[in-house]
């Protein structure tokens, strides 16, 4: 059986400016619930406020997830503290190359 | 049916991996396969729904990877009521005609032409991974979402065997009587892990497992590493990437691969292929791992099979204030049908499974296979069918009889 080629989506499919879906909105509410309940997670208020787009929401979700997991690996690298609510999180430059194989990083 | 432990595939089996994707119906993704595989209960092409002008609109093979199901089709309880029963306020004893999908989607934009898109389905050539796995391993003809409702309560059934009476996205389980399958496995000295894509996508199990047991979690990269090192936990549950975001490690763009509308379906195809390849290419894992690929719910997209009744999830009852209808709900019927595929070299190519399953079958199957000690379980899990008896082959399929995928890089 010959290997089957699996095409990638075009780069234009990637849109961190997309507004959060109902699903992500619920996920964010759950993270906000925890942040309020714990009260000591140290999340930057600017990150917590900028959650209207997928890119912005992802930064907040990463911050709370890392706080809950106590993570200090490269996954806890500083994230942009300010991005306007209706703009995407800006492309970030890596302080260093990841040593791990990228999965769906493009 | 009790698991036949004399089956060679069961005697060899060590790992169960569940990958749960997002928000696509069976007919939308696999319905076209009926033309070439008549035992797959897909579409004839004559299925239809009325639109708001009264015209009967037929299903069409016009589904696109992206930009077609925007806005996200409503799939909360009342909207699904409309889709199944053609009535927003009442369910049974009304008949489940599956005639309200266009009406439901029309409600979101008042656009008659656009509302027809909810009946569109993919041709197999557009989904090479999903349709190859479906035809080369075992397709479930009757795997339904656990609840006619949205994501989080449905995913709860995969983790707990119940949603503890919730039909919405607000599912809080603290102090509830049934333990997650992960707790049950750990108590029996088994290993298990939930792998989210990365910390920027994280999990939908936020307020429960992530908050209370963060050590249960790993990233998709951790999963790939575990496969590479032949160090896979006994049970793995994988969540896709839910957002387009810059990769937290700074390595580039992490595109959403959950296939939730309006995310590009091709990214999900690649993700499924990556999970499959990670196991398929490791001779230490492939013979002794079973993969269940399943979608959490239908996402408001058309399917032609009426969801069946099921034993109620006693004592849980969702009240009308929660369902958004005039009816309470005793969790005594299933949600809309979703794609589900069982993958293992011990499964015969072209297998089609006709028994009824829902996500409560996941903890039921894992508990059964790992012979976990008796613990309190929900009524729905207690009554759920298990699926590993489908590893029926007496000899493992040869390497060249099992498909393999080459994931292409993004280049334009």
């Amino acid at each position: 059986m010959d290997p089957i080629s699996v095409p990638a989506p075009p780069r234009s499919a990637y849109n961190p400016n997309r507004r959060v879906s109902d699903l992500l909105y619920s996920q964010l509410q759950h993270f906000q619930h925890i942040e309020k309940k714990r009260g000591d997670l140290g999340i930057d208020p600017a990150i917590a406020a900028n959650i209207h787009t997928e890119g912005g929401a992802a930064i907040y979700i990463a911050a709370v997830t890392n706080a809950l997991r106590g993570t200090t690996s490269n996954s806890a690298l500083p994230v942009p503290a300010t991005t306007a609510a209706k703009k995407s999180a800006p492309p970030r430059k890596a302080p260093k190359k990841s040593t791990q194989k990228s999965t769906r990083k493009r | 049916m009790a698991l036949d432990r004399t089956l060679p595939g069961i005697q060899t089996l060590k790992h169960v991996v569940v990958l749960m994707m997002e928000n696509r119906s069976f007919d939308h993704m696999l319905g076209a396969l009926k033309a070439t595989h008549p035992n797959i209960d897909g579409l004839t092409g004559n299925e239809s729904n009325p639109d708001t002008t009264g015209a009967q609109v037929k299903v069409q093979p016009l589904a696109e990877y992206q930009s077609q199901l925007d806005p996200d089709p409503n799939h909360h309880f009342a909207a699904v009521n409309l889709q199944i029963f053609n009535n927003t306020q009442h369910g049974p004893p009304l008949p489940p005609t599956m005639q309200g999908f266009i009406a439901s989607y029309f409600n979101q934009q008042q656009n008659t032409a656009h509302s027809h898109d909810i009946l569109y389905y993919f041709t197999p050539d557009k989904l090479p991974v999903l349709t190859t796995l479906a035809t080369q391993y075992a397709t479930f003809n009757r795997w339904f979402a656990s609840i006619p409702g949205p994501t989080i309560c449905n995913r709860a059934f995969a983790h707990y065997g119940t949603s503890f009476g919730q039909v919405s996205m607000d599912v809080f389980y603290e102090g509830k009587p049934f333990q997650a399958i992960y707790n049950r496995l750990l108590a029996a000295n088994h290993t298990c892990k939930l792998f989210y894509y990365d910390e920027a996508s994280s999990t939908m199990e936020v307020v429960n497992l992530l908050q209370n047991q963060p050590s249960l979690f790993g990233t998709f990269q951790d999963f790939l590493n575990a496969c590479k090192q032949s160090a896979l936990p006994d049970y793995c549950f994988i969540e896709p990437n839910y957002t387009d975001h810059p990769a937290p490690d700074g390595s580039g763009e992490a595109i959403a691969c959950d296939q939730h509308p309006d995310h590009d379906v091709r990214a999900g195809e690649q993700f499924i292929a990556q999970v499959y390849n990670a196991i398929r290419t490791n001779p230490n894992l492939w013979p002794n791992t079973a993969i269940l690929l399943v979608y959490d719910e239908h996402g408001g997209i058309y399917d032609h099979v009426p969801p069946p009744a099921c034993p109620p999830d006693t004592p849980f009852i969702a009240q009308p204030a929660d369902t958004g209808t005039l009816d309470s709900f005793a969790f005594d019927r299933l949600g809309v049908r979703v794609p589900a595929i069982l993958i293992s070299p011990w499964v015969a190519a072209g297998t089609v499974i006709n028994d009824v399953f829902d996500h409560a079958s996941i903890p039921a199957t894992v508990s059964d296979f790992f012979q976990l000690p008796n613990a309190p379980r929900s009524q729905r899990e207690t009554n759920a069918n298990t699926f590993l008896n489908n590893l029926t082959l007496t000899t493992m399929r040869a390497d060249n009889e099992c498909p393999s995928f080459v994931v292409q890089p993004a280049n334009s």
Side-chain angles (χ1 to χ4, degrees):
Chain A
M1 192 176 290
D2 292 334
I4 296 164
S5 178
V6 187
R11 290 199 173 275
S12 59
Y14 175 79
N15 178 19
N17 291 328
R18 188 184 297 113
R19 293 193 70 81
V20 296
S21 65
D22 187 44
L23 172 61
L24 291 177
Y25 182 73
S26 296
Q27 188 191 24
L28 287 165
Q29 283 187 311
H30 291 184
F31 276 114
Q32 289 171 327
H33 169 82
I34 289 177
E35 193 189 356
K36 188 175 177 182
K37 180 180 168 186
R38 295 286 182 94
D40 58 352
L41 294 179
I43 308 300
D44 185 332
I47 290 176
N50 178 29
I51 55 174
H52 305 295
T53 64
E54 291 191 10
I59 293 169
Y60 172 70
I61 289 168
V64 183
T65 299
N66 285 331
L68 290 171
R69 294 193 65 192
T71 309
T72 55
S73 66
N74 63 351
S75 58
L77 287 171
V79 290
T82 54
T83 43
K86 293 191 177 179
K87 290 181 180 174
S88 70
R92 296 171 49 224
K93 295 193 175 176
K96 61 177 182 178
K97 273 261 183 194
S98 168
T99 56
Q100 292 184 317
K101 185 184 173 200
S102 170
T103 53
R104 190 58 187 84
K105 317 289 170 54
R106 313 184 315 156
Chain B
M1 185 167 55
L3 180 61
D4 181 356
R5 294 184 182 274
T6 68
L7 290 169
I10 296 300
Q11 292 185 336
T12 309
L13 188 64
K14 294 179 182 172
H15 311 282
V16 177
V17 174
V18 173
L19 168 58
M20 185 170 272
M21 304 294 283
E22 278 285 312
N23 288 41
R24 302 277 170 172
S25 73
F26 183 102
D27 280 343
H28 178 66
M29 302 296 268
L30 298 177
L33 287 176
K34 184 179 177 70
T36 50
H37 299 76
N39 53 350
I40 292 180
D41 190 0
L43 298 164
T44 64
N46 291 319
E47 296 81 4
S48 66
N49 262 205
D51 73 10
T52 50
T53 71
Q56 280 293 327
V57 179
K58 284 188 178 180
V59 295
Q60 295 189 73
L62 300 175
E64 295 173 2
Y65 294 121
Q66 194 174 35
S67 305
Q68 196 170 52
L69 296 174
D70 185 12
D72 179 23
N74 192 343
H75 46 279
H76 285 268
F77 193 93
V80 183
N81 235 39
L82 175 58
Q83 292 154 18
I84 296 174
F85 299 101
N86 214 4
N87 189 304
T88 56
Q89 296 304 307
H90 293 292
L94 293 174
T97 59
M98 313 304 277
Q99 290 292 296
F101 284 84
I102 288 180
S104 175
Y105 203 32
F106 177 85
N107 284 345
Q108 294 181 243
Q109 281 199 314
Q110 313 294 309
N111 180 329
T112 300
H114 186 243
S115 68
H116 296 177
D117 294 6
I118 208 70
L119 264 59
Y120 290 172
Y121 62 96
F122 283 100
T123 49
D125 60 300
K126 290 186 118 174
L127 303 177
V129 177
L130 194 70
T131 57
T132 296
L133 294 174
T135 54
Q136 291 299 316
Y137 296 102
T139 297
F140 292 86
N141 264 346
R142 291 289 183 275
W143 192 297
F144 297 85
S146 292
I147 299 176
T151 286
I152 292 178
C153 56
N154 269 299
R155 284 182 173 265
F157 272 79
H159 302 305
Y160 303 90
T162 179
S163 66
F164 303 97
Q166 300 295 319
V167 294
S168 71
M169 305 291 261
D170 295 322
V171 185
F172 295 84
Y173 308 130
E174 283 180 73
K176 295 295 197 301
F178 306 118
Q179 293 213 311
I181 186 62
Y182 315 98
N183 300 70
R184 295 183 236 163
L185 284 161
L186 292 172
N189 294 317
H190 286 286
T191 54
C192 59
K193 209 84 175 173
L194 287 99
F195 294 100
Y196 52 59
Y197 186 81
D198 62 23
E199 57 273 14
S201 176
S202 197
T203 177
M204 289 297 154
E205 261 298 307
V206 177
V207 291
N208 305 299
L209 296 178
L210 181 62
Q211 177 178 211
N212 299 317
Q213 295 169 270
S215 63
L216 282 176
F217 289 85
T219 64
F220 185 57
Q221 187 61 54
D222 293 334
F223 170 77
L224 295 175
N225 292 343
C227 289
K228 194 174 290 183
Q229 295 160 11
S230 302
L232 205 59
D234 297 337
Y235 178 58
C236 304
F237 187 92
I238 302 173
E239 297 186 66
N241 180 9
Y242 299 111
T243 57
D244 286 357
H245 61 265
D249 65 5
S251 60
E253 299 170 350
I255 190 168
C257 57
D258 58 354
Q259 299 185 327
H260 190 297
D262 189 38
H263 294 149
D264 196 296
V265 169
R266 285 167 290 199
E269 280 268 294
Q270 291 204 321
F271 185 63
I272 295 166
Q274 283 183 294
V275 171
Y276 172 83
N277 282 351
I279 295 165
R280 164 80 173 83
T281 58
N282 184 337
N284 295 321
L285 294 178
W286 179 234
N288 54 46
T289 304
I291 306 170
L292 175 71
L293 165 61
V294 64
Y295 288 66
D296 67 336
E297 36 99 353
H298 74 303
I301 305 169
Y302 177 73
D303 191 82
H304 81 280
V305 175
C310 64
D313 201 20
T314 308
F316 301 115
I317 296 178
Q319 298 302 320
D322 300 314
T323 65
T325 71
L326 296 175
D327 294 339
S328 58
F329 178 60
F331 299 84
D332 54 359
R333 55 185 170 87
L334 302 179
V336 175
R337 194 172 59 140
V338 291
I341 301 167
L342 179 62
I343 300 161
S344 157
W346 299 94
V347 170
T351 298
V352 174
I353 302 165
N354 289 306
D355 293 331
V356 172
F357 294 85
D358 76 282
H359 307 327
S361 296
I362 294 171
T365 299
V366 173
S367 295
D368 181 39
F369 172 65
F370 290 109
Q371 298 181 289
L372 301 184
N374 283 336
R377 294 177 194 177
S378 72
Q379 285 299 306
R380 286 282 296 270
E381 182 182 334
T382 302
N383 288 296
N385 281 325
T386 60
F387 53 80
L388 288 175
N389 265 337
N390 292 289
L391 275 60
T392 55
L393 292 179
T394 54
T395 310
M396 197 177 106
R397 285 164 61 174
D399 202 56
N400 62 2
E401 293 175 351
C402 299
S404 59
F405 299 110
V406 178
V407 175
Q408 301 296 334
N411 54 15
S412 60

